[in-house]
Amino acid sequence: MRTSRISQETTKLVLAAAAARRSTRSSVSRLDVEDAVPPPKRQKRERTPRTPMKTSPGRSVAVKKEIDESITTSPVLDHRRVRKPARQVKNEENGEVEIHAPNDWKEVYAAVKEMRLTGPAQNAAVDTMGCERLAEKDASPKVRRYQTLTALMLSSQTKDTTNALAMKRLYTELPPHKEGAPGGLNLENILAVDPKLLNELIWAVGFHNNKTKYIKAAAEILRDNWGGDIPDTIEGLVSLPGVGPKMAHLCLSVAWGRTEGIGVDVHVHRITNLWGWHKTKGPEETRLALQAWLPQELWHEINWLLVGFGQTVCLSVGRKCGECDLGLKGLCKSAERAKVNIGRKTKEERIVTDGSGREVLEKRESVKVERVMGDMTVNADA
């Protein structure tokens, strides 16, 4: 007589339980129900074979295999410089407020100076055509001072190259104030020249119409109030029409050899704000901010330094961050990282031996590629 599978399993459970009761506890350990009953056998499901994919003659089917691989990557180092701008700090001992300089200003200043002297920022227009270099060398000190003042008045909103051309025309085309007197740029000839002719001679500079009026009016003030010479104080210089604080400080430093302030133009204002030294709205505010902490022995040099740097590397449009050491060293917070990563093109010269055994000088241009992680520079060639 056939019995069902459930009845057979029940019988096995009863027999196993009876055997467990007959055995002593010391000799046989208790069995769990799951240990007494073997697990049911799993029935394998027959899989129907798949029909092969039909393809047209001459056509192959590409099967793409995807392999999952665990890729271990090391964490990217992110050593960021802690930059602190110029700030006011209260002295706990005496309670006075002190101005602390930006923490990395010396390193930035030294790097820019090296670029101006031997790097990509050398030979700027200001080095040969700046206002302090446009006065005639063979003129008297009094005439040279007036020529320096005139060059500064023409330089506003004007490139150094254009300003130098306008000054050259004044030296060569300005007629003498009387017969037998020398022509060229001096106070007497400016007083006598017709405003229309003066305007034609300086037409290339920015706002030449206004500058013509300023130069003529200033010449009369110098004749009547200053004995034909230029003022030797900041207050006297800024009292002249068309002369602002920047021109006054530069003129006093160049013409009289006294530096009482920083000449801040658009380059100095723009670049120092890009570095994060301060947040100022105009050149005059920048001048006061710099003078609060920059050593006075650098007040005259910083104008030459940053004007040339702004003319060659840190341009107002299209900055050359890939050629700037500040970007490569992580010293400029405004550096364009894409340009920095490409690197700076450097020209190298080396002496090699050719096939005939002669030593020749070979010039090759290489590209120095550097990766910048955060503010830490890593040389890819190392």
Short mmCIF file of all heavy atoms in Angstrom, two decimals, residues 286-320:
data_model
loop_
_atom_site.label_atom_id
_atom_site.label_comp_id
_atom_site.label_asym_id
_atom_site.label_seq_id
_atom_site.Cartn_x
_atom_site.Cartn_y
_atom_site.Cartn_z
N THR A 286 42.94 101.97 -2.92
CA THR A 286 44.04 100.99 -2.95
C THR A 286 45.33 101.60 -2.42
O THR A 286 46.10 100.95 -1.71
CB THR A 286 44.24 100.48 -4.38
OG1 THR A 286 43.04 99.85 -4.83
CG2 THR A 286 45.38 99.48 -4.45
N ARG A 287 45.59 102.86 -2.78
CA ARG A 287 46.80 103.53 -2.31
C ARG A 287 46.83 103.60 -0.78
O ARG A 287 47.85 103.27 -0.15
CB ARG A 287 46.88 104.95 -2.90
CG ARG A 287 48.12 105.72 -2.46
CD ARG A 287 48.11 107.13 -3.03
NE ARG A 287 47.08 107.95 -2.44
CZ ARG A 287 47.22 108.61 -1.28
NH1 ARG A 287 48.34 108.52 -0.59
NH2 ARG A 287 46.24 109.36 -0.83
N LEU A 288 45.73 103.99 -0.19
CA LEU A 288 45.68 104.08 1.27
C LEU A 288 45.82 102.71 1.92
O LEU A 288 46.46 102.57 2.97
CB LEU A 288 44.38 104.75 1.70
CG LEU A 288 44.18 106.19 1.23
CD1 LEU A 288 42.80 106.70 1.62
CD2 LEU A 288 45.27 107.10 1.79
N ALA A 289 45.23 101.68 1.29
CA ALA A 289 45.32 100.33 1.85
C ALA A 289 46.75 99.81 1.79
O ALA A 289 47.23 99.18 2.74
CB ALA A 289 44.38 99.40 1.09
N LEU A 290 47.46 100.06 0.69
CA LEU A 290 48.84 99.60 0.56
C LEU A 290 49.78 100.35 1.51
O LEU A 290 50.67 99.76 2.13
CB LEU A 290 49.32 99.77 -0.88
CG LEU A 290 48.77 98.78 -1.91
CD1 LEU A 290 49.21 99.17 -3.31
CD2 LEU A 290 49.23 97.36 -1.60
N GLN A 291 49.60 101.66 1.60
CA GLN A 291 50.48 102.46 2.45
C GLN A 291 50.33 102.11 3.93
O GLN A 291 51.20 102.43 4.73
CB GLN A 291 50.20 103.94 2.23
CG GLN A 291 50.66 104.45 0.87
CD GLN A 291 50.34 105.92 0.64
OE1 GLN A 291 50.60 106.45 -0.43
NE2 GLN A 291 49.77 106.59 1.63
N ALA A 292 49.24 101.44 4.28
CA ALA A 292 49.02 101.10 5.68
C ALA A 292 49.96 100.00 6.17
O ALA A 292 50.20 99.88 7.37
CB ALA A 292 47.56 100.66 5.90
N TRP A 293 50.52 99.19 5.23
CA TRP A 293 51.38 98.08 5.69
C TRP A 293 52.63 97.87 4.83
O TRP A 293 53.61 97.27 5.31
CB TRP A 293 50.58 96.77 5.71
CG TRP A 293 50.00 96.37 4.39
CD1 TRP A 293 48.75 96.65 3.92
CD2 TRP A 293 50.65 95.62 3.36
NE1 TRP A 293 48.58 96.13 2.66
CE2 TRP A 293 49.73 95.49 2.29
CE3 TRP A 293 51.91 95.05 3.23
CZ2 TRP A 293 50.04 94.81 1.12
CZ3 TRP A 293 52.22 94.37 2.06
CH2 TRP A 293 51.28 94.25 1.02
N LEU A 294 52.65 98.32 3.58
CA LEU A 294 53.81 98.08 2.72
C LEU A 294 54.98 98.95 3.19
O LEU A 294 54.81 100.15 3.42
CB LEU A 294 53.47 98.41 1.27
CG LEU A 294 54.53 98.04 0.23
CD1 LEU A 294 54.65 96.53 0.10
CD2 LEU A 294 54.19 98.66 -1.13
N PRO A 295 56.19 98.37 3.33
CA PRO A 295 57.35 99.17 3.75
C PRO A 295 57.58 100.36 2.81
O PRO A 295 57.46 100.23 1.59
CB PRO A 295 58.51 98.17 3.68
CG PRO A 295 57.86 96.83 3.87
CD PRO A 295 56.52 96.94 3.21
N GLN A 296 57.93 101.49 3.37
CA GLN A 296 58.03 102.72 2.59
C GLN A 296 59.13 102.66 1.54
O GLN A 296 59.02 103.32 0.50
CB GLN A 296 58.25 103.92 3.51
CG GLN A 296 58.10 105.26 2.81
CD GLN A 296 58.07 106.43 3.78
OE1 GLN A 296 58.11 106.23 4.99
NE2 GLN A 296 57.98 107.64 3.26
N GLU A 297 60.16 101.86 1.76
CA GLU A 297 61.23 101.77 0.77
C GLU A 297 60.77 101.11 -0.53
O GLU A 297 61.48 101.15 -1.54
CB GLU A 297 62.43 101.01 1.34
CG GLU A 297 62.14 99.59 1.77
CD GLU A 297 61.76 99.48 3.24
OE1 GLU A 297 61.37 100.52 3.82
OE2 GLU A 297 61.87 98.37 3.79
N LEU A 298 59.58 100.51 -0.53
CA LEU A 298 59.05 99.87 -1.73
C LEU A 298 57.96 100.70 -2.40
O LEU A 298 57.42 100.28 -3.42
CB LEU A 298 58.49 98.48 -1.39
CG LEU A 298 59.46 97.48 -0.77
CD1 LEU A 298 58.74 96.18 -0.43
CD2 LEU A 298 60.64 97.21 -1.70
N TRP A 299 57.64 101.85 -1.86
CA TRP A 299 56.54 102.65 -2.39
C TRP A 299 56.80 103.12 -3.82
O TRP A 299 55.87 103.19 -4.63
CB TRP A 299 56.28 103.85 -1.48
CG TRP A 299 55.58 103.49 -0.21
CD1 TRP A 299 55.32 102.23 0.25
CD2 TRP A 299 55.07 104.39 0.77
NE1 TRP A 299 54.67 102.28 1.46
CE2 TRP A 299 54.51 103.60 1.81
CE3 TRP A 299 55.03 105.77 0.89
CZ2 TRP A 299 53.91 104.17 2.93
CZ3 TRP A 299 54.44 106.33 2.01
CH2 TRP A 299 53.88 105.54 3.02
N HIS A 300 58.02 103.48 -4.13
CA HIS A 300 58.32 103.93 -5.49
C HIS A 300 58.44 102.75 -6.45
O HIS A 300 57.97 102.81 -7.59
CB HIS A 300 59.62 104.74 -5.51
CG HIS A 300 60.04 105.16 -6.88
ND1 HIS A 300 59.41 106.18 -7.58
CD2 HIS A 300 61.01 104.71 -7.72
CE1 HIS A 300 59.97 106.33 -8.76
NE2 HIS A 300 60.95 105.45 -8.87
N GLU A 301 59.03 101.66 -6.00
CA GLU A 301 59.30 100.53 -6.88
C GLU A 301 58.05 99.77 -7.28
O GLU A 301 57.97 99.22 -8.39
CB GLU A 301 60.28 99.57 -6.20
CG GLU A 301 60.69 98.38 -7.05
CD GLU A 301 61.55 97.41 -6.28
OE1 GLU A 301 61.07 96.86 -5.26
OE2 GLU A 301 62.71 97.20 -6.69
N ILE A 302 57.06 99.71 -6.40
CA ILE A 302 55.91 98.85 -6.67
C ILE A 302 55.13 99.31 -7.89
O ILE A 302 54.53 98.48 -8.60
CB ILE A 302 54.98 98.77 -5.43
CG1 ILE A 302 53.96 97.65 -5.62
CG2 ILE A 302 54.30 100.10 -5.16
CD1 ILE A 302 53.12 97.37 -4.39
N ASN A 303 55.13 100.59 -8.19
CA ASN A 303 54.44 101.06 -9.40
C ASN A 303 55.13 100.51 -10.64
O ASN A 303 54.47 99.96 -11.53
CB ASN A 303 54.39 102.58 -9.43
CG ASN A 303 53.69 103.11 -10.66
OD1 ASN A 303 54.31 103.34 -11.69
ND2 ASN A 303 52.38 103.31 -10.56
N TRP A 304 56.44 100.68 -10.72
CA TRP A 304 57.19 100.13 -11.86
C TRP A 304 57.02 98.62 -11.95
O TRP A 304 56.86 98.05 -13.03
CB TRP A 304 58.68 100.48 -11.70
CG TRP A 304 59.58 99.65 -12.57
CD1 TRP A 304 59.89 99.87 -13.87
CD2 TRP A 304 60.27 98.46 -12.19
NE1 TRP A 304 60.73 98.89 -14.34
CE2 TRP A 304 60.98 98.01 -13.32
CE3 TRP A 304 60.36 97.73 -11.00
CZ2 TRP A 304 61.77 96.86 -13.30
CZ3 TRP A 304 61.14 96.59 -10.98
CH2 TRP A 304 61.84 96.17 -12.12
N LEU A 305 57.03 97.95 -10.79
CA LEU A 305 56.95 96.49 -10.75
C LEU A 305 55.64 95.98 -11.33
O LEU A 305 55.62 95.12 -12.22
CB LEU A 305 57.11 96.03 -9.31
CG LEU A 305 57.36 94.54 -9.08
CD1 LEU A 305 58.79 94.20 -9.41
CD2 LEU A 305 57.06 94.18 -7.63
N LEU A 306 54.52 96.53 -10.85
CA LEU A 306 53.21 96.00 -11.22
C LEU A 306 52.71 96.54 -12.56
O LEU A 306 51.94 95.86 -13.24
CB LEU A 306 52.20 96.28 -10.12
CG LEU A 306 52.48 95.62 -8.77
CD1 LEU A 306 51.29 95.77 -7.84
CD2 LEU A 306 52.83 94.15 -8.94
N VAL A 307 53.13 97.74 -12.94
CA VAL A 307 52.74 98.25 -14.26
C VAL A 307 53.35 97.37 -15.35
O VAL A 307 52.68 96.94 -16.29
CB VAL A 307 53.15 99.72 -14.43
CG1 VAL A 307 52.99 100.15 -15.88
CG2 VAL A 307 52.31 100.61 -13.53
N GLY A 308 54.65 97.07 -15.22
CA GLY A 308 55.29 96.19 -16.20
C GLY A 308 54.73 94.78 -16.17
O GLY A 308 54.58 94.13 -17.21
N PHE A 309 54.41 94.29 -14.98
CA PHE A 309 53.82 92.95 -14.84
C PHE A 309 52.44 92.91 -15.50
O PHE A 309 52.08 91.92 -16.14
CB PHE A 309 53.72 92.60 -13.36
CG PHE A 309 53.20 91.22 -13.08
CD1 PHE A 309 53.86 90.10 -13.53
CD2 PHE A 309 52.04 91.05 -12.34
CE1 PHE A 309 53.37 88.83 -13.27
CE2 PHE A 309 51.54 89.79 -12.07
CZ PHE A 309 52.21 88.67 -12.54
N GLY A 310 51.68 93.99 -15.36
CA GLY A 310 50.36 94.05 -15.98
C GLY A 310 50.42 94.24 -17.48
O GLY A 310 49.48 93.87 -18.20
N GLN A 311 51.51 94.80 -17.99
CA GLN A 311 51.65 95.00 -19.44
C GLN A 311 52.11 93.74 -20.17
O GLN A 311 51.90 93.61 -21.37
CB GLN A 311 52.64 96.13 -19.71
CG GLN A 311 52.15 97.51 -19.32
CD GLN A 311 53.21 98.58 -19.51
OE1 GLN A 311 54.40 98.28 -19.62
NE2 GLN A 311 52.78 99.83 -19.56
N THR A 312 52.75 92.81 -19.46
CA THR A 312 53.37 91.66 -20.13
C THR A 312 52.72 90.33 -19.78
O THR A 312 52.55 89.47 -20.66
CB THR A 312 54.86 91.59 -19.76
OG1 THR A 312 54.98 91.60 -18.32
CG2 THR A 312 55.62 92.78 -20.32
N VAL A 313 52.37 90.10 -18.52
CA VAL A 313 51.88 88.79 -18.08
C VAL A 313 50.44 88.86 -17.58
O VAL A 313 49.55 88.20 -18.11
CB VAL A 313 52.80 88.20 -16.99
CG1 VAL A 313 52.24 86.87 -16.48
CG2 VAL A 313 54.21 87.99 -17.52
N CYS A 314 50.21 89.67 -16.58
CA CYS A 314 48.87 89.76 -15.97
C CYS A 314 48.06 90.83 -16.69
O CYS A 314 47.73 91.88 -16.14
CB CYS A 314 48.99 90.06 -14.48
SG CYS A 314 47.45 89.83 -13.56
N LEU A 315 47.72 90.55 -17.94
CA LEU A 315 47.01 91.51 -18.77
C LEU A 315 45.57 91.68 -18.28
O LEU A 315 45.00 90.78 -17.66
CB LEU A 315 47.01 91.04 -20.22
CG LEU A 315 48.38 90.70 -20.83
CD1 LEU A 315 48.21 90.13 -22.22
CD2 LEU A 315 49.26 91.93 -20.87
N SER A 316 45.00 92.82 -18.59
CA SER A 316 43.61 93.05 -18.19
C SER A 316 42.66 92.13 -18.94
O SER A 316 41.62 91.73 -18.42
CB SER A 316 43.23 94.51 -18.44
OG SER A 316 43.42 94.85 -19.81
N VAL A 317 43.02 91.75 -20.17
CA VAL A 317 42.24 90.80 -20.97
C VAL A 317 43.20 89.73 -21.48
O VAL A 317 44.19 90.05 -22.13
CB VAL A 317 41.53 91.48 -22.15
CG1 VAL A 317 40.77 90.45 -22.98
CG2 VAL A 317 40.59 92.57 -21.66
N GLY A 318 42.92 88.47 -21.19
CA GLY A 318 43.77 87.38 -21.65
C GLY A 318 45.03 87.21 -20.81
O GLY A 318 46.14 87.23 -21.34
N ARG A 319 44.85 87.05 -19.51
CA ARG A 319 46.01 86.88 -18.63
C ARG A 319 46.80 85.62 -18.99
O ARG A 319 46.23 84.58 -19.29
CB ARG A 319 45.55 86.79 -17.16
CG ARG A 319 44.77 87.99 -16.70
CD ARG A 319 44.73 88.07 -15.18
NE ARG A 319 44.23 86.86 -14.56
CZ ARG A 319 42.97 86.61 -14.29
NH1 ARG A 319 42.05 87.50 -14.61
NH2 ARG A 319 42.60 85.50 -13.70
N LYS A 320 48.12 85.72 -18.94
CA LYS A 320 49.00 84.61 -19.29
C LYS A 320 49.38 83.83 -18.03
O LYS A 320 50.54 83.79 -17.62
CB LYS A 320 50.24 85.14 -20.00
CG LYS A 320 49.94 85.92 -21.28
CD LYS A 320 51.21 86.46 -21.91
CE LYS A 320 50.89 87.25 -23.17
NZ LYS A 320 52.14 87.81 -23.79
#
